[in-house]
Amino acid sequence: MYIHYEKLWKKLLDKKITKTDLCQMSGISTRTMAKLVKNQSVTTDTLIRICEALDCELSEIMEITKTEPLLSLYEAYKKDRRLVEEDEYCRLYSLHYQNREFRIKEAKKKASKRVLIHCKGSSVQWEQFFPSGIHPVSEKSVISDCSFVAQNCICLLLIDGSTVGITGLDEGRFLSASRPYAFGKLCVMSKAKFKLYTP
C-alpha cells in the first residue's frame, strides 16, 4: 500500500496557500514538509495538525492506494534530467515530467550570505559583496539571460546555497516559487525551495 498527498497539494493550490504558509499555520517543520512532498509516511499528529490548519478531514488531504506514487519533481530531476548545454555560469537541463516539458538551469557557483540575486529586464544578475572598510564593495555579473525560456516549457533557474535574497520576483517575466508556473516566464528559486516545489 502507498500513501499519496496529491489531494493536499490541490487543496493548497485552490486555497492559494504555499507550503511555507502551511508549515507556519500547522507548526510542522520543513523536514516534515519534504517527507510529504516525497509521499513518505508522517505521524498521525502531523496529519491532524495539517487538517486543523486547513479546517478539513483527513480524506481531503491524503489517500492510500495500491499503486506506487509518482516521483516528486525534485526526485525526477535528480534521476532523469538531460544536460542540454553548459556555459561559464550555469548548466541547462531538460526534463519530461508528468506530461510536461521543463527547462531547468542551475547556477554552478554556490551562493553565500554575501550574494544578492537580481531579476530585472531580461537577465538574472549575481551580485557578490566583498567587505572593504566601512562600505562593502560589490561585483555584478549576469549569470543567465532569458533566451532559454520557451513558450511550451516550464522554465526554472535554481540557485544553490543561501543568498541575501532574490529581487525582482513576481514582476515582469520572473516568478517566485510560491506562484503557479506560467509558460514564457522564468521561475527563480533556491535549490532548497525546489525540493518542495510542485508546479
Side-chain angles (χ1 to χ4, degrees):
M1 301 297 271
Y2 299 97
I3 300 170
H4 298 262
Y5 295 106
E6 290 304 316
K7 289 182 176 182
L8 173 59
W9 312 134
K10 185 175 183 329
K11 183 170 280 298
L12 292 183
L13 195 59
D14 292 344
K15 291 187 171 219
K16 297 183 179 169
I17 297 173
T18 66
K19 293 180 181 83
T20 303
D21 293 338
L22 181 60
C23 286
Q24 292 170 349
M25 291 166 57
S26 63
I28 64 171
S29 67
T30 53
R31 177 177 280 168
T32 300
M33 180 58 73
K35 284 179 144 188
L36 291 166
V37 168
K38 294 177 184 176
N39 289 310
Q40 295 175 346
S41 61
V42 295
T43 65
T44 306
D45 177 59
T46 297
L47 296 172
I48 290 170
R49 287 163 56 188
I50 291 170
C51 288
E52 287 174 347
L54 297 175
D55 190 28
C56 67
E57 299 292 323
L58 188 59
S59 61
E60 296 177 62
I61 63 166
M62 67 172 283
E63 64 182 332
I64 299 172
T65 66
K66 291 183 179 180
T67 58
E68 187 173 2
L70 296 171
L71 293 175
S72 70
L73 175 60
Y74 176 74
E75 291 168 323
Y77 173 70
K78 291 310 245 179
K79 182 180 174 206
D80 299 326
R81 67 186 177 189
R82 293 179 316 276
L83 183 63
V84 175
E85 64 184 42
E86 184 173 355
D87 62 27
E88 180 183 353
Y89 299 105
C90 297
R91 290 181 186 92
L92 175 62
Y93 298 96
S94 67
L95 175 70
H96 185 79
Y97 175 75
Q98 292 187 353
N99 298 319
R100 291 179 283 186
E101 292 298 323
F102 288 80
R103 300 192 88 198
I104 302 173
K105 211 170 207 186
E106 190 173 327
K108 288 182 176 179
K109 291 195 297 187
K110 187 168 185 169
S112 69
K113 289 291 185 186
R114 291 189 174 154
V115 171
L116 183 60
I117 304 297
H118 301 282
C119 302
K120 61 183 179 180
S122 62
S123 66
V124 179
Q125 295 179 359
W126 179 290
E127 185 174 14
Q128 179 78 49
F129 292 94
F130 302 98
S132 176
I134 298 171
H135 301 289
V137 177
S138 72
E139 179 182 291
K140 287 184 183 178
S141 55
V142 173
I143 59 168
S144 179
D145 59 22
C146 290
S147 62
F148 77 98
V149 176
Q151 292 297 328
N152 60 344
C153 296
I154 299 172
C155 300
L156 311 173
L157 175 62
L158 308 180
I159 309 295
D160 193 13
S162 193
T163 66
V164 173
I166 303 174
T167 67
L169 294 179
D170 302 325
E171 298 172 11
R173 61 175 50 188
F174 301 101
L175 298 174
S176 65
S178 62
R179 298 292 176 129
Y181 74 88
F183 294 120
K185 298 222 175 193
L186 176 59
C187 188
V188 182
M189 68 184 81
S190 67
K191 280 182 80 174
K193 285 196 176 179
F194 179 59
K195 290 179 182 179
L196 302 175
Y197 181 66
T198 308

